[in-house]
Amino acid sequence: MSIRYLDALPSLGKIYAQAGTEALKKRPKKVAAGSLPSDGLGVRGVTISRETVNAVNRHVGAPTRDSVPSIVVFGTAFPLLIELMRQPEFPLPMLGMIHLTNTVEHHRTIVPGEKLTFEVRPLSLDAHHAGVACEIETRVLDDGGDVVWTGTGVFLAKGVTLEGVQKPERPEREAPDLPPMNAQWSFAPGEGRRWAGILGDYNPIHLSNVSAKLLGMKTAIVHGADLAAHALAAVEPADATACGGYEWHIEFGAPAPIPSRISFNQTAVKNADFGEGNAGDEVEGLVGFTGFSTRKKPRIHFTGYVRPLGV
């Protein structure tokens, strides 16, 4: 797949401002399995500022450090990913896409100010019980051409059918078994605007109840990247190079409304969770985490893990 390079990273604010009229023109009922574009998008010479790193660390209560948190790399790449979704040849409507999962390999420490190349490319379309899921890969390369960060995100377009593919059945919903709480975070009114002011994601579903309801939401919800930033601040290594690189994965569940109070659990993962080895032994370096709430009824907002590469 070839990459078409842009002169600069797009502005998410401008993209969302134009998205309303574009979305009206592009609401497919069905998409073909082979309809993803043949080209990806890229930008060269991108730098991540120390001010952005410090702002994210302050927002999540993490200590100041010289390395770039992994979620900041994701947030920097996100406008390019959204720009890919709004290309005329992209088969799914960008506005209203739901982020289901993200899996990242953070290969080495990234420092503020170093020049990076960002590339995004579509990988696949898959049938989902609620619509069509699209897998998109992001790669970040340093000035020497070495890959320093890779991420694969899965996004859902609700209400769309993949031609010739039967939808899987909706899984049964069971009452979640909530873990003990290690920490708790409060997301006050205005949380979505505060996060948008740091990384530029002005998606209307996060900014206010009024703008969220215009897009079919009951209320404004916390950015998924904001939730991931809080979780990773508690569990990711401070120095990716020293630990040989690490992988993190997050799967989003019930949206977290604004305002809300989210409980957090982190725990070492044991062999029993994989059905192998001595059940009581911990898998070296593998930490699982869960974000949940108990207001009105128990809800799981996200689950995930962090582990050294190769584990």
Side-chain angles (χ1 to χ4, degrees), residues 157-283:
K158 295 183 71 173
V160 183
T161 300
L162 194 60
E163 292 180 354
V165 181
Q166 186 174 355
K167 283 187 178 182
E169 293 186 6
R170 181 183 297 273
E172 293 185 10
R173 291 185 178 180
E174 299 179 356
D177 185 13
L178 300 181
M181 180 182 69
N182 301 140
Q184 194 171 67
W185 313 315
S186 292
F187 295 97
E191 176 70 22
R193 295 188 293 276
R194 284 188 287 273
W195 182 257
I198 297 171
L199 284 178
D201 187 353
Y202 288 92
N203 188 329
I205 66 173
H206 306 297
L207 303 183
S208 71
N209 289 343
V210 172
S211 60
K213 287 177 180 178
L214 288 174
L215 292 175
M217 306 294 292
K218 294 180 180 180
T219 184
I221 61 173
V222 182
H223 286 81
D226 193 354
L227 294 172
H230 279 80
L232 290 172
V235 296
E236 76 176 323
D239 189 337
T241 300
C243 73
Y246 62 95
E247 176 184 276
W248 61 269
H249 171 82
I250 190 166
E251 179 174 350
F252 297 102
I258 301 174
S260 64
R261 187 172 293 167
I262 306 300
S263 298
F264 179 72
N265 170 272
Q266 66 177 85
T267 184
V269 177
K270 299 182 182 296
N271 280 325
D273 297 309
F274 294 100
E276 60 184 36
N278 296 320
D281 291 346
E282 295 178 357
V283 181

Side-chain angles (χ1 to χ4, degrees), residues 26-82:
K26 192 178 181 183
R27 284 288 169 186
K29 298 286 187 181
K30 295 182 179 181
V31 296
S35 58
L36 285 172
S38 57
D39 293 337
L41 295 179
V43 178
R44 298 185 176 99
V46 177
T47 59
I48 298 173
S49 72
R50 190 172 299 277
E51 289 75 17
T52 298
V53 170
N54 290 342
V56 169
N57 285 333
R58 283 194 302 269
H59 184 77
V60 300
T64 300
R65 61 192 190 194
D66 291 333
S67 59
V68 177
S70 201
I71 199 66
V72 176
V73 183
F74 168 81
T76 304
F78 194 62
L80 190 61
L81 189 150
I82 295 298

Side-chain angles (χ1 to χ4, degrees), residues 93-110:
M94 179 273 290
L95 204 61
M97 291 280 273
I98 299 170
H99 199 171
L100 298 180
T101 69
N102 216 55
T103 304
V104 167
E105 291 186 355
H106 195 124
H107 297 278
R108 70 151 172 87
T109 297
I110 299 170

